[in-house]
Amino acid sequence: VAKRMGQHDLTVRSGLPHDDEEMGQLASSFDEMADNLEEWQKHALQSRHEIEKLGYRNQLILDLAGEGICGVDREGLITFVNPAAAAMLGYRVDELLGLPLHQTVHCKKADGTLNPHESCPMHVAIEDGLSHYGSDEMLWRKDGSGFYVDYTLIPMKEGEKVIGAVVTFRDITERKSHEEQLAHQATHDSLTGLANRTILNDRIGLLIERAAR
């Protein structure tokens, strides 16, 4: 019986009567231990199945989300990324894992000048432990082209300790293009493309202010 239990067969029992004799007491203790181990094994298997199910659900959410989602550790290295984020950035998911997020996709501003790591919202979120939100931030694709995003940065914590951050972002290129078109239409004639009365009045007003100084 002990040999079979040593081979992880927790269904085995002594088969001896639980009487007041020494052997009966030993059999009772052995069988009680076996009962407890078998019950523990059942709970452990159930817990593992629940964890696997939860992991599957979380992965499904990541895979189906339309927004870009990625996680970084305290050093800013990418620990997970969903397909939407990888596609927007022009990478495969496996290419991004382990790379420094800032240096890979956020190292330059829209005008091409260096974007210091110290002022990066992701770095700040890890340092101060607070969530950060922003818009019109430039991210850079693998091919060197850039696109504007709205973003949210939420620090990940274990207790009071910040262990990383989750970054979500959404491509707003189409929205910005539409806004620029509306702004142009508000100040230019739709037929000639020339500046309309609104912009002319603004420029005349500026000239008058300068002349009055």
Side-chain angles (χ1 to χ4, degrees):
V1 170
K3 182 178 180 181
R4 286 176 60 188
M5 182 168 284
Q7 294 171 344
H8 308 293
D9 180 3
L10 299 183
T11 63
V12 68
R13 297 296 183 269
S14 67
L16 298 175
H18 297 175
D19 52 31
D20 292 334
E21 298 297 326
E22 182 178 1
M23 187 59 69
Q25 292 178 1
L26 286 173
S28 176
S29 297
F30 181 90
D31 290 343
E32 183 180 357
M33 177 187 70
D35 289 340
N36 291 334
L37 286 173
E38 186 176 15
E39 188 67 20
W40 173 84
Q41 185 183 56
K42 289 178 181 178
H43 285 303
L45 286 173
Q46 184 178 2
S47 297
R48 188 178 72 182
H49 290 324
E50 290 298 324
I51 291 172
E52 289 175 352
K53 187 187 297 184
L54 182 61
Y56 172 76
R57 289 175 180 171
N58 289 341
Q59 188 61 50
L60 193 62
I61 291 171
L62 281 176
D63 291 346
L64 297 180
E67 293 185 335
I69 305 173
C70 61
V72 296
D73 60 18
R74 278 199 61 85
E75 285 68 46
L77 302 180
I78 299 172
T79 56
F80 66 84
V81 59
N82 72 337
M88 278 188 264
L89 296 167
Y91 290 85
R92 298 192 314 272
V93 169
D94 62 291
E95 286 183 293
L96 287 168
L97 296 177
L99 294 180
L101 181 63
H102 178 77
Q103 288 86 342
T104 304
V105 304
H106 196 219
C107 58
K108 294 185 296 183
K109 298 180 181 179
D111 60 6
T113 59
L114 185 66
N115 188 14
H117 181 257
E118 294 73 20
S119 61
C120 173
M122 177 188 65
H123 174 74
V124 175
I126 293 175
E127 290 299 314
D128 63 19
L130 301 175
S131 298
H132 293 262
Y133 311 90
S135 185
D136 294 348
E137 196 77 12
M138 178 67 73
L139 296 183
W140 299 92
R141 300 184 182 94
K142 184 179 180 180
D143 64 8
S145 61
F147 62 103
Y148 286 99
V149 299
D150 285 342
Y151 68 89
T152 301
L153 290 152
I154 302 175
M156 294 188 295
K157 296 182 178 180
E158 283 186 355
E160 296 300 317
K161 182 180 179 182
V162 178
I163 61 171
V166 176
V167 186
T168 66
F169 57 90
R170 180 167 56 93
D171 188 341
I172 60 170
T173 302
E174 186 174 341
R175 189 190 80 189
K176 282 189 67 68
S177 176
H178 183 61
E179 290 173 349
E180 290 171 359
Q181 289 177 7
L182 290 176
H184 186 271
Q185 291 171 6
T187 56
H188 291 76
D189 185 271
S190 59
L191 294 177
T192 65
L194 299 175
N196 62 19
R197 185 181 298 274
T198 300
I199 195 169
L200 288 175
N201 287 339
D202 289 342
R203 289 175 179 174
I204 290 172
L206 288 173
L207 289 173
I208 292 174
E209 288 181 9
R210 290 175 183 173
R213 291 175 184 172

